[in-house]
Amino acid sequence: MTFSKRHLLGIEPLSPPEITTLLDLADRYAERERTTDKHATALAGMTQINMFFENSTRTQASFEIAGKRLGADVMNMAMQTSSVKKGETLIDTALTLNAMHPDLLVVRHPHSGAVNLLAEKVNCAVLNAGDGRHEHPTQALLDALTIRRRKGRLHRLNIAICGDIAHSRVARSNILLLGKMENRVKLIGPPTLMPAGVADWGVEVYDDMARGLEGADVVMMLRLQRERMDGGFIPSEREYYHRYGLDAEKLACAKEDAIVMHPGPMNRGVEIDGTIADDINRSVIQEQVEMGVAVRMAAMDLLAQNLAAERAAYA
Ligand code: ASP
């Protein structure tokens, strides 16, 4: 099989053929999701535990739906009321859950690297549902699937990623994936919201929307990650919207058929104008959510196959 990984911790370790294998399978699941025959058996008899140490709407719901569609027993740990609140460490919590023999562990954590650490301590497959400002692999994969379906390809596209790049795991995973698939990636935002060392990332950097959006096939907007900011990164939200918020005037600088994306949750009137976000001729934001379920089904299906093969080899 082309997809050989034990865990899905990030885009960084994935090869272009592995990305294509996952997207091809997700495409088939996306088609099936639009029929009345939604249920498959790839995870039948398996147990999936979702551990979200940070808030989530789309990611947690779609991982739960994806697992159920594939026949897994799905458990959502209520982290707000778990023993984590009594001071139990991440590793102790993971070891406790590991003793209950889950097959898939889906983890979101506010600290970069926490999910990789946890993956070293358990026997099951671990999926990173977002760790700090590090990676959010399933988001980048669902964005890639959305782009591929809309543009008919996932290479040689002109893609602008705009806003709070510094604090965004979505940006990081997308930059890695889109770069591996040989696209032209442009980052647009104020210098205060660009990560250190961005010059070495193989991308173009702009601080002016009109210049950066020129010729763009895809315009990807990002949320201002207030919860990860510990100082004044922008003068005011009003000023930020004026310079970097996506409105009709700025969008006119991109290609006429450019699509608009946002991973959610959106701050309307801060990074994006509500009318653009709701414009079904330009915005693919709801399709991104739809593709989220298909991509998570594909990711768990592939990891489960590898896990089953590994177990059979040791049996
Ligand atoms: N939902 C995405 C994430 O968890 C994007 C965001 O929160 O802005 O990273």
Side-chain angles (χ1 to χ4, degrees):
M1 190 170 70
T2 326
F3 192 92
S4 62
K5 298 289 179 291
R6 168 78 195 273
H7 306 293
L8 180 61
L9 300 176
I11 297 297
E12 192 149 34
L14 299 185
S15 65
E18 283 178 317
I19 292 169
T20 303
T21 299
L22 198 151
L23 295 183
D24 289 347
L25 180 58
D27 221 354
R28 295 201 289 280
Y29 276 130
E31 289 310 315
R32 188 165 182 174
E33 280 290 294
R34 290 183 176 181
T35 70
T36 47
D37 173 33
K38 293 184 174 54
H39 289 93
T41 54
L43 303 183
M46 292 200 165
T47 302
Q48 171 192 339
I49 301 182
N50 297 336
M51 290 168 79
F52 280 67
F53 294 88
E54 237 187 30
N55 295 345
S56 173
T57 305
R58 281 151 289 272
T59 308
Q60 181 161 0
S62 60
F63 263 116
E64 181 174 354
I65 291 175
K68 288 181 174 164
R69 292 272 202 268
L70 296 179
D73 291 324
V74 184
M75 191 187 110
N76 287 309
M77 285 286 295
M79 300 319 296
Q80 298 306 325
T81 51
S82 77
S83 285
V84 171
K85 288 280 160 200
K86 298 181 186 167
E88 188 172 73
T89 67
L90 170 67
I91 299 304
D92 282 335
T93 307
L95 291 177
T96 302
L97 292 175
N98 192 49
M100 298 179 198
H101 304 295
D103 302 286
L104 297 146
L105 213 47
V106 179
V107 188
R108 169 170 286 188
H109 200 278
H111 296 148
S112 306
V115 184
N116 292 52
L117 188 72
L118 186 145
E120 288 168 14
K121 311 282 178 195
V122 296
N123 304 319
C124 57
V126 176
L127 293 102
N128 182 0
D131 63 323
R133 48 175 98 166
H134 178 225
E135 280 234 39
H136 192 352
T138 54
Q139 177 71 46
L141 288 160
L142 74 87
D143 290 340
L145 183 60
T146 308
I147 295 171
R148 197 174 81 165
R149 287 168 68 100
R150 281 292 177 137
K151 293 287 161 194
R153 66 181 198 275
L154 189 59
H155 59 276
R156 275 196 259 129
L157 289 166
N158 182 327
I159 301 177
I161 305 179
C162 318
D164 183 0
I165 315 282
H167 302 100
S168 174
R169 53 197 177 206
V170 174
R172 220 182 111 72
S173 290
N174 264 300
I175 292 165
L176 289 166
L177 191 155
L178 296 168
K180 280 176 198 273
M181 304 313 270
E182 296 179 11
N183 294 283
R184 178 174 170 196
V185 179
K186 302 182 295 184
L187 307 183
I188 316 174
T192 47
L193 293 178
M194 283 295 159
V198 71
D200 305 325
W201 288 15
V203 294
E204 296 165 39
V205 180
Y206 297 85
D207 67 358
D208 178 75
M209 287 288 273
R211 280 187 51 234
L213 288 179
E214 212 178 296
D217 297 292
V218 176
V219 182
M220 190 181 287
M221 302 308 299
L222 298 171
R223 181 176 65 88
L224 273 182
Q225 308 262 309
R226 290 269 183 216
E227 72 276 27
R228 295 187 221 289
M229 294 184 190
D230 50 11
F233 285 81
I234 55 165
S236 71
E237 286 189 351
R238 202 155 155 242
E239 171 74 10
Y240 182 81
Y241 180 68
H242 176 66
R243 292 209 56 192
Y244 298 100
L246 188 69
D247 56 15
E249 198 186 322
K250 297 191 190 81
L251 183 57
C253 302
K255 276 197 188 148
E256 219 172 298
D257 63 350
I259 54 170
V260 174
M261 308 181 77
H262 193 301
M266 264 185 289
N267 289 315
R268 291 168 184 259
V270 179
E271 69 263 355
I272 190 164
D273 171 39
T275 324
I276 302 254
D278 298 333
D279 180 353
I280 53 165
N281 296 314
R282 307 306 294 270
S283 164
V284 296
I285 295 170
Q286 295 309 323
E287 198 171 321
Q288 287 174 267
V289 179
E290 183 186 0
M291 292 309 124
V293 175
V295 153
R296 288 164 182 131
M297 288 170 83
M300 291 196 289
D301 180 338
L302 292 172
L303 292 179
Q305 288 182 45
N306 289 347
L307 195 64
E310 188 184 308
R311 285 175 180 165
Y314 282 105

